[in-house]
């Protein structure tokens, strides 16, 4: 959610806060960095309206949690009228709200009332179902899929569910459902998908029986080359490598030894088939026949690296770590290599293959490396965990790399290890006299749960700034501002209103909002002082010292109104994250008079209300919900 702006050590020097009175500057909304500071719209009016719909739905959910279903129904009726929701859309929305509110009984009772007509409906419901306990998710969404009127739609979602929930009792149930609707008129690909689901369910015998029955049918259809190659892969994946090899030989004889490697799509599938039976020399030759770069004009997106990626993932599924790593390392596209490594590592973590995950963790981003170390430690594999950390941190004297490592460890919850390494980082920064990094270290101590150490470091730094007599020439630090614009979340409510927005004319704005471009110039002395005050306010907010943060915020002149508001917003978000609704509400009150910040105020009134609801204080939550609703309707 938050981003620490990059620190360039060569361009930083310690500067002090001036002793001049900043409050005497003529009030005007300007940027402390210099130039005009008019608000720049972060989203278009259509997206803003979608956000309002999402917030109204959140308010209705909060009323449900507060034991006021009648008020929730009234809000839903307002939404129906405001956004011109069709009855089927409102029905879907009520279903989603019941799920998010934790009322499974109400949601289940609503299933027969659904009128699902497209993938947009079930997509949003599926995201809502993912908020349920893991043991309930698959069964629940399976009941919803049963309501789809289109057989092809059901087949698609059943396959998705089987892939998301492999090796569970639900997977066999999904296989039975697919088998019950397939007929001889269905395409071969659908039957091969059923064999895949049987494998994912762990029923290798059923998968083998089905594949054997499909083999003759596939040979009678010359156009089924790709499906035959998929079947060969499946034979190998269920342990029938001899049968897979025999089927591949038949296919080569029937089609000619070179004809399968003419089309990039067939070459790709053929490479996977040979990899499945362990013929890696043939795989290497086939990959060389693929283009280095994909050619969209040929309607094929397969290229050498994408095939290497698919083979690496296939070996990972077969728990062949050595070969998976071999093909992973052969990927020349650095971005694709990292993406593939992440997918493989995530799979290893899901199946508790800690050593396998650690073996290729160096190719992943720091956060995923930290997750491998943390999961291994939780599984009492401390030696394995400790082998991952040195790879992350690099050389012992590399302070920046060390802080990247501690940040990643904090993000995944491995705070005990982060605190140990942060003490080392603090010692290095002190020895090397790199004071500009001390606030960063302080913030990380706070993220690791050591708020006392964080505040001590910040107090020391702030005193140093205040005691210096020279006037600042440029900011010493940048504030920890939220990244902007904020990308849309992938919540069920957001997805629902996105589908409504794309299909409803009521979301079209009358005229677009003009964009405003700020022209940066050099910050003044007063502007630099304001930036430093704002920086320390955000640091103290992260360290949960909201009293000190607010004191510093009040020292920022009102002429820097947009900048000052951004610091207040940061503090509000931190107070909510710290589960301190009273503090968050007090800070939010400083923004409530400005129409410019009403979007932020609305959203966070709802967030604060939800904090009160988790604390069983409905009497404090309800007025905030009503106020937020009133702001939406203005």
């Amino acid at each position: 959610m938050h981003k620490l702006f990059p620190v360039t050590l060569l361009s930083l020097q310690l500067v002090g806060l001036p002793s001049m009175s900043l409050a005497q500057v003529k009030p005007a909304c300007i940027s402390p960095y210099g130039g005009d500071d008019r608000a720049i719209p972060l989203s278009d009016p259509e997206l803003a309206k979608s956000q309002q719909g999402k917030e109204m739905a959140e308010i209705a959910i909060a009323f449900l949690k507060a034991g006021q279903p009648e008020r929730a129904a009234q809000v839903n009726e307002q939404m129906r009228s405001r956004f011109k929701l069709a009855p089927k859309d409102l029905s879907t929305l009520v279903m989603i709200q019941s799920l998010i509110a934790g009322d499974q009984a109400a949601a289940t009772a609503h299933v027969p009332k659904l009128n699902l007509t497209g993938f947009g409906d079930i997509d949003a419901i599926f995201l809502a179902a993912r908020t349920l306990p893991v043991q309930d998710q698959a069964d629940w969404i399976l009941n919803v899929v049963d309501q789809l009127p289109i057989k092809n739609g059901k087949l698609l979602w059943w396959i998705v569910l089987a892939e998301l929930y492999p090796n569970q009792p639900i997977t066999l149930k999904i296989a039975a459902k697919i088998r019950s609707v397939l007929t001889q008129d269905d395409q071969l690909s659908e039957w091969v998908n059923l064999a895949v689901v049987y494998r994912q369910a762990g029923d290798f015998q059923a998968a083998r029986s089905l594949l054997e029955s499909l083999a003759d049918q596939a040979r009678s259809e010359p156009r089924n080359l790709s499906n035959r190659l998929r079947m060969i892969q499946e034979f190998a994946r269920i342990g029938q490598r001899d049968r897979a090899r025999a089927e591949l030989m038949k296919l080569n004889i029937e089609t000619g030894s070179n004809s399968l490697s003419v089309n990039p799509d067939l070459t790709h599938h053929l490479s996977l088939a040979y990899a499945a039976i362990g013929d890696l020399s043939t795989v290497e030759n086939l990959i060389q026949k693929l283009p280095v770069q994909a050619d969209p004009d040929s309607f094929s997106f397969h290229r050498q690296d994408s095939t290497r990626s698919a083979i690496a993932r296939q070996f990972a599924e077969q728990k062949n770590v050595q070969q998976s790593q071999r093909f992973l390392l052969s990927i020349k596209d650095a971005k694709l290599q990292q993406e593939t490594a992440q997918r493989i590592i995530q799979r290893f973590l899901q199946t508790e293959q800690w050593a396998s995950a650690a073996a290729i963790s160096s190719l992943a981003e720091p956060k995923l490396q930290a997750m491998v170390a943390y999961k291994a430690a939780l599984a009492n594999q401390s030696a394995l965990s400790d082998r991952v950390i040195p790879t992350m941190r690099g050389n012992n004297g590399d302070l920046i790399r060390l802080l990247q490592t501690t940040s990643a460890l904090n993000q995944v919850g491995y705070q005990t290890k982060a605190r140990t390494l942060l003490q080392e980082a603090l010692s290095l920064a002190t020895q090397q006299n790199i004071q500009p990094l001390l606030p960063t270290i302080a913030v990380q101590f706070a993220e690791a749960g050591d708020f006392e150490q964080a505040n001590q470091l910040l107090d020391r730094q702030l005193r140093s700034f205040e005691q210096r007599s020279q006037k600042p020439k440029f900011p010493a630090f940048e504030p920890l501002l939220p990244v902007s614009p904020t990308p849309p979340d992938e919540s069920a409510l957001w997805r629902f209103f996105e589908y409504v927005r794309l299909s409803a004319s009521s979301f079209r704005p009358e005229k677009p909002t003009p964009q405003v471009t700020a022209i940066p110039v050099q910050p003044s002395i007063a502007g630099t002082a304001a930036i430093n005050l704002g920086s320390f306010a955000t640091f103290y907010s992260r360290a949960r010292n909201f009293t000190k943060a607010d004191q510093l915020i009040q020292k920022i002149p009102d002429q820097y109104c947009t900048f000052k508001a951004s610091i207040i917003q940061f503090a509000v978000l931190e107070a909510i994250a710290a589960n301190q609704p009273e503090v968050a509400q007090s800070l939010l009150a400083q923004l409530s008079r400005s129409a410019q910040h009403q979007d932020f105020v609305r959203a966070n009134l709802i967030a604060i209300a939800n904090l009160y609801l988790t604390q069983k204080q409905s009497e404090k939550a309800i007025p905030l919900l009503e106020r937020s609703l009133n702001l939406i309707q203005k």
Side-chain angles (χ1 to χ4, degrees), residues 219-237:
R219 282 194 292 270
S220 66
E221 291 285 342
R223 293 175 298 176
N224 277 324
L225 295 179
S226 61
N227 285 317
R228 289 180 68 179
L229 289 170
R230 287 182 63 208
M231 291 167 59
I232 291 168
Q233 294 174 55
E234 288 305 311
F235 271 122
R237 290 182 179 187

Side-chain angles (χ1 to χ4, degrees), residues 151-211:
K151 187 181 81 170
N152 288 343
K154 289 183 179 181
L155 285 170
L156 175 62
W157 276 102
W158 283 334
I159 292 167
V160 169
L161 283 172
E163 185 175 350
L164 288 172
Y165 302 97
N167 297 314
Q168 296 184 25
I170 190 70
T171 325
L172 275 177
K173 189 184 295 186
I174 292 170
K177 286 182 176 293
I178 294 175
R179 181 66 186 85
S180 69
V181 301
L182 289 181
T183 68
Q184 296 301 317
D185 296 330
D186 283 296
Q187 296 181 0
L188 181 63
S189 60
E190 304 291 3
W191 288 94
V192 177
N193 285 337
L194 176 57
V196 173
V197 174
Y198 277 131
R199 171 176 59 80
Q200 290 170 331
D203 192 344
F204 285 11
Q205 181 56 45
R208 177 181 179 181
S209 177
L210 178 57
L211 289 169

Side-chain angles (χ1 to χ4, degrees), residues 23 75 100 113 122 135 174 203 211 236 240 286 382 554 628:
V75 175
I100 298 176
K113 305 175 186 176
I122 195 170
Q135 65 272 18
I174 292 170
D203 192 344
L211 289 169
Q240 301 297 310
L286 287 169
S382 56
Q554 300 312 315
S628 182

Side-chain angles (χ1 to χ4, degrees), residues 366-527:
K367 184 177 179 180
L368 194 53
Q369 289 179 281
M371 181 62 75
V372 173
Y374 186 37
K375 292 288 187 180
L378 291 177
N380 295 320
Q381 301 284 328
S382 56
L384 185 65
S385 175
D386 289 342
R387 286 203 298 270
V388 175
I389 302 296
T391 304
M392 296 177 62
R393 60 169 295 173
N395 298 327
N396 288 340
D398 191 340
L399 183 55
I400 299 298
R401 182 86 173 267
L402 179 57
L403 289 176
Q404 291 173 342
T405 300
T406 54
S407 176
L409 292 170
N410 276 329
Q411 289 179 56
V412 302
Y414 200 179
Q415 295 175 315
T416 53
K417 178 63 71 174
R419 285 195 292 270
T420 300
L421 295 180
L422 281 169
Q423 290 293 349
E424 183 180 340
L426 178 57
S427 177
L428 282 172
T430 302
Q431 291 171 10
Q432 299 174 23
N433 196 29
I434 311 178
Q435 293 192 41
L437 281 180
L438 291 179
T440 301
I441 295 173
V443 166
Q444 289 208 25
F445 267 115
E447 291 172 349
D450 193 342
F451 298 109
E452 182 179 356
Q453 175 74 82
N455 276 283
Q456 288 177 0
L457 278 174
L458 290 175
D459 288 344
R460 195 183 314 159
Q461 282 294 100
L462 184 59
R463 283 196 299 270
S464 175
F465 271 77
E466 292 172 338
Q467 290 169 1
R468 300 178 74 89
S469 58
Q470 69 263 34
K471 296 180 180 179
K473 298 179 180 179
F474 48 79
F477 304 106
E478 293 284 7
L480 289 167
L481 299 179
V483 178
S484 179
T486 304
D489 58 33
E490 284 298 312
S491 70
L493 293 174
W494 180 265
R495 189 71 60 86
F496 172 84
F497 281 100
E498 274 297 277
Y499 284 121
V500 172
R501 178 179 72 85
L502 294 173
S503 61
S505 60
S506 61
F507 277 76
R508 303 292 184 266
E510 295 181 2
K511 53 185 178 180
T513 301
Q515 293 290 316
V516 181
T517 304
I519 302 175
V521 296
Q522 285 296 108
S524 63
I525 293 175

Side-chain angles (χ1 to χ4, degrees), residues 25-40 475 478-479 481 516-532 556-567 596:
V25 182
K26 182 181 178 180
C29 199
I30 61 175
S31 168
Y33 299 93
D36 189 10
D37 201 18
R38 290 172 289 172
I40 300 175
E478 293 284 7
L481 299 179
V516 181
T517 304
I519 302 175
V521 296
Q522 285 296 108
S524 63
I525 293 175
T528 298
I531 294 169
N532 288 331
I556 301 174
D558 289 338
Q559 64 177 337
Y560 304 118
C561 54
T562 302
F563 173 78
K564 186 173 183 177
S566 69
I567 304 298
Q596 177 182 336

